[in-house]
Amino acid sequence: MGTNSQRSAFKTEVDVNTPAQCDDDSAIPVVSVKGLKENWQKWSSEHQEYQKLNPFSHDTRQRVVAPQRGQEDYGRPQQGSLTEKRGKEAHTHISREVQKLCEVIRNIGEEKERDVDEHDSHRKVITVEFGKLFEHYVTISNTLVGILLRARKQGLVDFKGEMLWQGKDDNVVITLLE
């Protein structure tokens, strides 16, 4: 019979890539040192290559030249990366939220005339107070202020002040510009 160490001494040539084999009376798989070494070397090589591309690595042998300020790809994720994919998905989600916000303002807002220029021409716009919008929009999303800021940045809405606070800014008028 013998001990486990005596039995495994005769079975060291099993490759690590093949399914683990077990003796009938033992549940310990037998794996070759050669296979373990090859897998370790493979992982080590892949990790070293990855670290050369990692901007946070202390590896000074960087192969990729980092984009400089002013270049087209500066501050953007690598094309085809998961970061780029997540960014595009987030942009799509925010765009839908902005569209939903504009629709809510159209539905609950009031139509008013607004002076466009000095030639006395008027344009109709839709306005709503922040407090009223907050009451209606809170059931849709809890990120109203952030979506309002994004919509203002895109030129879709306008309001006074940099930030709106519930309670304090309930009477601030939000104007739909599109």
Side-chain angles (χ1 to χ4, degrees):
M1 253 222 229
T3 64
N4 283 340
S5 61
Q6 289 172 337
R7 281 188 294 228
S8 64
F10 298 107
K11 297 182 180 183
T12 58
E13 293 305 315
V14 175
D15 187 20
V16 76
N17 296 325
T18 60
Q21 298 176 354
C22 300
D23 291 335
D24 294 336
D25 57 343
S26 171
I28 301 171
V30 179
V31 180
S32 74
V33 173
K34 180 181 176 185
L36 289 173
K37 180 183 173 190
E38 288 172 358
N39 275 349
W40 176 258
Q41 288 298 332
K42 180 182 172 191
W43 177 87
S44 177
S45 298
E46 289 172 357
H47 184 69
Q48 285 175 352
E49 290 301 314
Y50 172 76
Q51 287 299 89
K52 289 177 185 176
L53 301 174
N54 183 354
F56 302 106
S57 171
H58 295 297
D59 191 343
T60 58
R61 298 170 289 155
Q62 224 175 13
R63 289 185 186 170
V64 176
V65 177
Q68 299 299 315
R69 200 172 266 179
Q71 290 180 337
E72 186 177 324
D73 55 347
Y74 179 76
R76 302 206 182 266
Q78 201 173 36
Q79 285 189 347
S81 67
L82 288 175
T83 303
E84 181 190 40
K85 180 183 174 191
R86 287 188 295 265
K88 287 179 179 179
E89 289 172 357
H91 180 72
T92 302
H93 174 73
I94 295 296
S95 296
R96 279 189 297 233
E97 288 286 324
V98 168
Q99 291 172 354
K100 200 183 304 182
L101 170 69
C102 292
E103 190 64 34
V104 169
I105 292 173
R106 270 189 218 97
N107 290 339
I108 66 171
E110 298 172 4
E111 198 172 293
K112 294 185 180 181
E113 286 190 16
R114 176 179 170 187
D115 291 333
V116 177
D117 57 14
E118 64 275 353
H119 299 295
D120 203 35
S121 60
H122 297 284
R123 187 175 106 181
K124 294 190 178 192
V125 293
I126 298 174
T127 62
V128 65
E129 288 185 347
F130 177 66
K132 183 177 180 182
L133 179 62
F134 190 87
E135 288 176 16
H136 283 80
Y137 201 81
V138 75
T139 60
I140 300 169
S141 173
N142 61 351
T143 58
L144 172 62
V145 176
I147 302 299
L148 273 170
L149 293 173
R150 177 59 68 104
R152 178 167 67 178
K153 187 175 181 180
Q154 293 177 3
L156 300 174
V157 299
D158 190 33
F159 54 89
K160 290 184 181 179
E162 287 192 35
M163 182 66 98
L164 297 173
W165 302 97
Q166 182 187 9
K168 177 183 165 223
D169 295 320
D170 282 350
N171 296 327
V172 173
V173 175
I174 298 169
T175 305
L176 184 64
L177 300 175
E178 65 167 335

